[in-house]
Amino acid sequence: MNNILYMVIPCYNEQEVLHETAKRLREKYSALIAAGKISAASRIVFVNDGSKDTTWQIICDLHKSDKIFSGVNLSRNRGHQNALLAGLMTVKDFADVTISMDADLQDDINAIDEMLDKYLSGFDIVYGVRSKRETDTFFKKFTAEGYYSFLKFLGGGDIVYNHADFRLMSKRALNGLAEFGEVNLFLRGLVPMIGYPSTIVYYERAARFAGESKYPLKKMLFFALQGITSLTVEPIRMITKLGVAISTISLFVILWIFYRYFIGSTVIGWTSVLASLWFLGGLILMSVGVVGEYIGKIYLETKRRPRYIVSEFLNET
């Protein structure tokens, strides 16, 4: 069997869960190798995204005790998406196929079998999609579903509904992903743009095994904004449409004012004037903010700063 599988797992302060994650993945790898689905040269790669706890030391210890575990250490914290990309790009020349997942054991390890079956049947990309969101709070469920719908409304590519970053990618798909050079990463939107044959595997997402979520509300909002501004320019177009609509309404209002003036029934109303000024002032500020967000993205892209820097790679082939 020549299918070398590299699992890529971004880690940020995951010392509470890392040993259990490694244990479960090692058991899964042993079963897959015994069944002849993957090569014995396959590896489990933990990507340390500038953790402040003992995450990297645990990764090093795992590598020393069992060479099936590999590690990528970033020079500093670069965020989940950059850490994931760093892992994928670091291992793409060693692997025939990769599967990315989070370290918190919320993604179903048993879905890996079905993902590999789909890959062996000819699919380059297999998305792990949540069958339901019972482990989420009402607020998170409502906002997540609303965000997917809103992004689709804005024309944000072929983003897969209820898919995070639990996915399989072939070497060919990874090479395609490497062609995308943007700094502002939103992999959930970029991967569907690769265009190779893809399919879906459904699974039930479990509760986090240990530790705390690395995505509080503030980070979730930033991530959502990143997704919108990375995939579509529709917000700017919406500003243009809104401006045209307001201008059209204003034209009719002016004509109405002239009509009232000529029939001698002009009414002086400070309230309506002030309300209009506040509304238009707020609209202008919001519009400037949206345009500024895109200009900021352009600024970052033109700098061409590295998305990540790998300081150490532990791997034995």
PDB file of all heavy atoms in Angstrom, residues 72-84:
ATOM      1  N   VAL A  72       5.512  20.194  13.888  1.00  0.00           N
ATOM      2  CA  VAL A  72       5.903  21.434  13.221  1.00  0.00           C
ATOM      3  C   VAL A  72       5.774  22.549  14.241  1.00  0.00           C
ATOM      4  O   VAL A  72       4.699  22.739  14.818  1.00  0.00           O
ATOM      5  CB  VAL A  72       5.022  21.731  11.992  1.00  0.00           C
ATOM      6  CG1 VAL A  72       5.389  23.095  11.390  1.00  0.00           C
ATOM      7  CG2 VAL A  72       5.153  20.632  10.949  1.00  0.00           C
ATOM      8  N   ASN A  73       6.853  23.255  14.481  1.00  0.00           N
ATOM      9  CA  ASN A  73       6.853  24.335  15.462  1.00  0.00           C
ATOM     10  C   ASN A  73       6.970  25.674  14.753  1.00  0.00           C
ATOM     11  O   ASN A  73       7.973  25.935  14.081  1.00  0.00           O
ATOM     12  CB  ASN A  73       8.013  24.154  16.450  1.00  0.00           C
ATOM     13  CG  ASN A  73       7.901  25.104  17.637  1.00  0.00           C
ATOM     14  OD1 ASN A  73       6.809  25.493  18.028  1.00  0.00           O
ATOM     15  ND2 ASN A  73       9.045  25.464  18.198  1.00  0.00           N
ATOM     16  N   LEU A  74       5.941  26.507  14.874  1.00  0.00           N
ATOM     17  CA  LEU A  74       5.989  27.834  14.254  1.00  0.00           C
ATOM     18  C   LEU A  74       6.770  28.799  15.140  1.00  0.00           C
ATOM     19  O   LEU A  74       6.810  28.651  16.365  1.00  0.00           O
ATOM     20  CB  LEU A  74       4.574  28.369  14.017  1.00  0.00           C
ATOM     21  CG  LEU A  74       3.647  27.516  13.146  1.00  0.00           C
ATOM     22  CD1 LEU A  74       2.357  28.281  12.841  1.00  0.00           C
ATOM     23  CD2 LEU A  74       4.330  27.095  11.846  1.00  0.00           C
ATOM     24  N   SER A  75       7.379  29.787  14.518  1.00  0.00           N
ATOM     25  CA  SER A  75       8.222  30.731  15.254  1.00  0.00           C
ATOM     26  C   SER A  75       7.420  31.591  16.222  1.00  0.00           C
ATOM     27  O   SER A  75       7.947  32.071  17.224  1.00  0.00           O
ATOM     28  CB  SER A  75       8.981  31.623  14.278  1.00  0.00           C
ATOM     29  OG  SER A  75       8.074  32.377  13.478  1.00  0.00           O
ATOM     30  N   ARG A  76       6.126  31.769  15.949  1.00  0.00           N
ATOM     31  CA  ARG A  76       5.243  32.548  16.821  1.00  0.00           C
ATOM     32  C   ARG A  76       3.810  32.191  16.482  1.00  0.00           C
ATOM     33  O   ARG A  76       3.539  31.509  15.499  1.00  0.00           O
ATOM     34  CB  ARG A  76       5.457  34.059  16.641  1.00  0.00           C
ATOM     35  CG  ARG A  76       5.251  34.552  15.224  1.00  0.00           C
ATOM     36  CD  ARG A  76       5.478  36.048  15.089  1.00  0.00           C
ATOM     37  NE  ARG A  76       4.428  36.805  15.742  1.00  0.00           N
ATOM     38  CZ  ARG A  76       3.331  37.251  15.109  1.00  0.00           C
ATOM     39  NH1 ARG A  76       3.154  37.008  13.810  1.00  0.00           N
ATOM     40  NH2 ARG A  76       2.428  37.943  15.764  1.00  0.00           N
ATOM     41  N   ASN A  77       2.902  32.678  17.300  1.00  0.00           N
ATOM     42  CA  ASN A  77       1.490  32.422  17.054  1.00  0.00           C
ATOM     43  C   ASN A  77       1.025  33.143  15.792  1.00  0.00           C
ATOM     44  O   ASN A  77       1.213  34.347  15.649  1.00  0.00           O
ATOM     45  CB  ASN A  77       0.659  32.891  18.259  1.00  0.00           C
ATOM     46  CG  ASN A  77      -0.831  32.706  18.041  1.00  0.00           C
ATOM     47  OD1 ASN A  77      -1.544  33.653  17.750  1.00  0.00           O
ATOM     48  ND2 ASN A  77      -1.302  31.475  18.181  1.00  0.00           N
ATOM     49  N   ARG A  78       0.436  32.367  14.877  1.00  0.00           N
ATOM     50  CA  ARG A  78      -0.022  32.939  13.621  1.00  0.00           C
ATOM     51  C   ARG A  78      -1.502  32.728  13.367  1.00  0.00           C
ATOM     52  O   ARG A  78      -2.029  33.114  12.336  1.00  0.00           O
ATOM     53  CB  ARG A  78       0.769  32.327  12.452  1.00  0.00           C
ATOM     54  CG  ARG A  78       2.236  32.675  12.433  1.00  0.00           C
ATOM     55  CD  ARG A  78       2.443  34.154  12.210  1.00  0.00           C
ATOM     56  NE  ARG A  78       1.861  34.574  10.953  1.00  0.00           N
ATOM     57  CZ  ARG A  78       1.584  35.826  10.624  1.00  0.00           C
ATOM     58  NH1 ARG A  78       1.794  36.790  11.497  1.00  0.00           N
ATOM     59  NH2 ARG A  78       1.078  36.128   9.447  1.00  0.00           N
ATOM     60  N   GLY A  79      -2.198  32.088  14.306  1.00  0.00           N
ATOM     61  CA  GLY A  79      -3.619  31.850  14.138  1.00  0.00           C
ATOM     62  C   GLY A  79      -3.898  30.490  13.516  1.00  0.00           C
ATOM     63  O   GLY A  79      -3.053  29.909  12.827  1.00  0.00           O
ATOM     64  N   HIS A  80      -5.092  30.003  13.764  1.00  0.00           N
ATOM     65  CA  HIS A  80      -5.460  28.648  13.364  1.00  0.00           C
ATOM     66  C   HIS A  80      -5.288  28.392  11.876  1.00  0.00           C
ATOM     67  O   HIS A  80      -4.713  27.369  11.465  1.00  0.00           O
ATOM     68  CB  HIS A  80      -6.916  28.384  13.778  1.00  0.00           C
ATOM     69  CG  HIS A  80      -7.411  27.024  13.415  1.00  0.00           C
ATOM     70  ND1 HIS A  80      -7.967  26.737  12.183  1.00  0.00           N
ATOM     71  CD2 HIS A  80      -7.437  25.859  14.124  1.00  0.00           C
ATOM     72  CE1 HIS A  80      -8.323  25.463  12.147  1.00  0.00           C
ATOM     73  NE2 HIS A  80      -8.008  24.907  13.314  1.00  0.00           N
ATOM     74  N   GLN A  81      -5.784  29.300  11.028  1.00  0.00           N
ATOM     75  CA  GLN A  81      -5.739  29.072   9.589  1.00  0.00           C
ATOM     76  C   GLN A  81      -4.314  29.035   9.048  1.00  0.00           C
ATOM     77  O   GLN A  81      -3.956  28.181   8.233  1.00  0.00           O
ATOM     78  CB  GLN A  81      -6.542  30.160   8.861  1.00  0.00           C
ATOM     79  CG  GLN A  81      -8.014  30.153   9.186  1.00  0.00           C
ATOM     80  CD  GLN A  81      -8.742  28.945   8.627  1.00  0.00           C
ATOM     81  OE1 GLN A  81      -9.083  28.888   7.451  1.00  0.00           O
ATOM     82  NE2 GLN A  81      -8.985  27.950   9.475  1.00  0.00           N
ATOM     83  N   ASN A  82      -3.469  29.936   9.522  1.00  0.00           N
ATOM     84  CA  ASN A  82      -2.068  29.928   9.094  1.00  0.00           C
ATOM     85  C   ASN A  82      -1.335  28.701   9.621  1.00  0.00           C
ATOM     86  O   ASN A  82      -0.482  28.135   8.924  1.00  0.00           O
ATOM     87  CB  ASN A  82      -1.362  31.208   9.571  1.00  0.00           C
ATOM     88  CG  ASN A  82      -1.743  32.415   8.746  1.00  0.00           C
ATOM     89  OD1 ASN A  82      -1.610  32.435   7.537  1.00  0.00           O
ATOM     90  ND2 ASN A  82      -2.239  33.442   9.411  1.00  0.00           N
ATOM     91  N   ALA A  83      -1.652  28.285  10.843  1.00  0.00           N
ATOM     92  CA  ALA A  83      -1.019  27.094  11.407  1.00  0.00           C
ATOM     93  C   ALA A  83      -1.404  25.854  10.610  1.00  0.00           C
ATOM     94  O   ALA A  83      -0.568  24.983  10.327  1.00  0.00           O
ATOM     95  CB  ALA A  83      -1.413  26.924  12.873  1.00  0.00           C
ATOM     96  N   LEU A  84      -2.667  25.774  10.245  1.00  0.00           N
ATOM     97  CA  LEU A  84      -3.132  24.639   9.445  1.00  0.00           C
ATOM     98  C   LEU A  84      -2.459  24.631   8.079  1.00  0.00           C
ATOM     99  O   LEU A  84      -1.983  23.589   7.607  1.00  0.00           O
ATOM    100  CB  LEU A  84      -4.654  24.713   9.292  1.00  0.00           C
ATOM    101  CG  LEU A  84      -5.310  23.651   8.417  1.00  0.00           C
ATOM    102  CD1 LEU A  84      -4.914  22.248   8.854  1.00  0.00           C
ATOM    103  CD2 LEU A  84      -6.831  23.807   8.436  1.00  0.00           C
TER     104      LEU A  84
END
